[in-house]
Amino acid sequence: MLTLRHLHKTYANGVHATNDISLDIPTGLFGLLGPNGAGKSSLMRTIATLQTPDSGSIHFDGVDVLQNPQALRRQLGYLPQDFGVYPKVSALELLNHFAVLKGITQRGERKEMVEGLLHQTNLWDARHRAVHSYSGGMRQRFGIAQALLGAPRLVIVDEPTAGLDPDERNRFLNLLARIGEQVVVILSTHIVEDVTDLCPRMAIIAAGRVLVAGEPQAAIDTL
Ligand code: ADP
Ligand code: ADP
């Protein structure tokens, strides 16, 4: 469980990107829905400990994240928006390389994890192709494989479906829903159907505030 309480973040230009956000985010796929500029990326970066809030608290499985960011980072898989300028090496080599960077140094363990993730993300048949030659959907699935290295307990995915065709989008959301059977997965999106299709729980944010949170249809009906 991820618990956010009274988070505030104001940028140097005076924008209140996060304005008193409190949320309880349990295991499962959680949709963070909001228009462009709502503050989704800002909140994701704050949860990912890439920026600190001005005030408020974040707890993950009881641990105070702002006091102990390293504890969260070890448990975190993060796929930022617009991620990925990739070198011309195969997906298999690249994922293996990221696994080494992640500190998975034991060869057998690394091989098992990398191959497992390529299967899980349906990229096994394309493992010898360079990621930069992949379609948008394949790249996003590669991004998820990369984010899942080290078996994170919290996975954050920022606007991953923008630009995907319907087939790729469904495939991608189903992958996230399966991952959400085990861990906390936060999906940020401005597309209503992304959350109504597969997220058991969601929040709608606008101008840095939570408008409503809960089950998707009930939440949308209250607006
Ligand atoms: P600060 O406001 O802390 O001095 P900057 O204005 O230099 O920081 O911006 C830091 C980063 O945030 C840069 O990468 C910049 O491109 C990005 N950034 C700045 N303003 C915006 C904005 N309005 N929307 C999105 N990103 C922004
Ligand atoms: P979303 O992800 O929902 O599109 P963002 O979190 O990117 O929203 O942006 C929320 C607001 O904060 C916007 O007004 C944006 O311009 C502003 N913003 C985002 N990052 C920065 C930054 N680094 N510096 C200043 N303003 C920013």
Side-chain angles (χ1 to χ4, degrees):
M1 168 84 92
L2 179 71
T3 310
L4 314 179
R5 288 291 177 270
H6 302 296
L7 287 177
H8 288 263
K9 176 71 181 180
T10 304
Y11 289 115
N13 58 5
V15 173
H16 301 289
T18 308
N19 195 348
D20 201 33
I21 288 198
S22 296
L23 283 171
D24 291 321
I25 304 182
T27 295
L29 182 53
F30 187 93
L32 188 66
L33 177 68
N36 284 331
K40 302 184 295 298
S41 293
S42 296
L43 185 60
M44 301 295 229
R45 288 198 298 268
T46 301
I47 297 169
T49 75
L50 291 167
Q51 64 186 26
T52 42
D54 300 325
S55 59
S57 70
I58 305 174
H59 286 81
F60 182 61
D61 289 347
V63 175
D64 186 330
V65 171
L66 299 174
Q67 294 298 321
N68 191 359
Q70 285 301 338
L72 180 97
R73 287 173 194 153
R74 282 193 291 273
Q75 312 250 39
L76 176 71
Y78 177 48
L79 181 58
Q81 196 173 358
D82 301 326
F83 188 60
V85 176
Y86 293 103
K88 291 189 179 177
V89 298
S90 76
L92 178 63
E93 284 174 274
L94 192 56
L95 199 56
N96 197 55
H97 177 68
F98 284 128
V100 174
L101 293 182
K102 192 93 193 180
I104 307 163
T105 49
Q106 207 275 321
R107 270 184 93 97
E109 181 196 353
R110 188 166 69 236
K111 185 171 190 292
E112 190 178 333
M113 177 162 282
V114 164
E115 293 184 0
L117 286 170
L118 288 168
H119 282 294
Q120 189 183 348
T121 53
N122 251 303
L123 291 170
W124 180 250
D125 291 346
R127 69 190 179 283
H128 295 305
R129 283 175 54 193
V131 179
H132 78 95
S133 77
Y134 278 4
S135 69
M138 293 170 82
R139 276 173 197 239
Q140 290 296 55
R141 282 184 276 131
F142 183 83
I144 286 293
Q146 187 180 337
L148 291 179
L149 286 168
R153 306 287 309 152
L154 171 62
V155 177
I156 296 179
V157 194
D158 198 356
E159 291 269 2
T161 59
L164 300 191
D165 71 33
D167 275 0
E168 283 177 332
R169 178 179 157 274
N170 285 334
R171 193 191 268 244
F172 188 81
L173 292 175
N174 278 300
L175 172 63
L176 291 186
R178 280 198 303 277
I179 297 165
E181 288 166 12
Q182 313 278 339
V183 304
V184 179
V185 181
I186 308 176
L187 161 71
S188 101
T189 182
H190 62 273
I191 303 169
V192 176
E193 289 76 22
D194 283 356
V195 298
T196 51
D197 287 358
L198 280 168
C199 296
R201 298 184 62 77
M202 58 99 73
I204 300 176
I205 71 168
R209 290 180 177 277
V210 176
L211 297 186
V212 59
E215 291 170 12
Q217 208 51 59
I220 287 167
D221 287 348
T222 64
L223 289 182

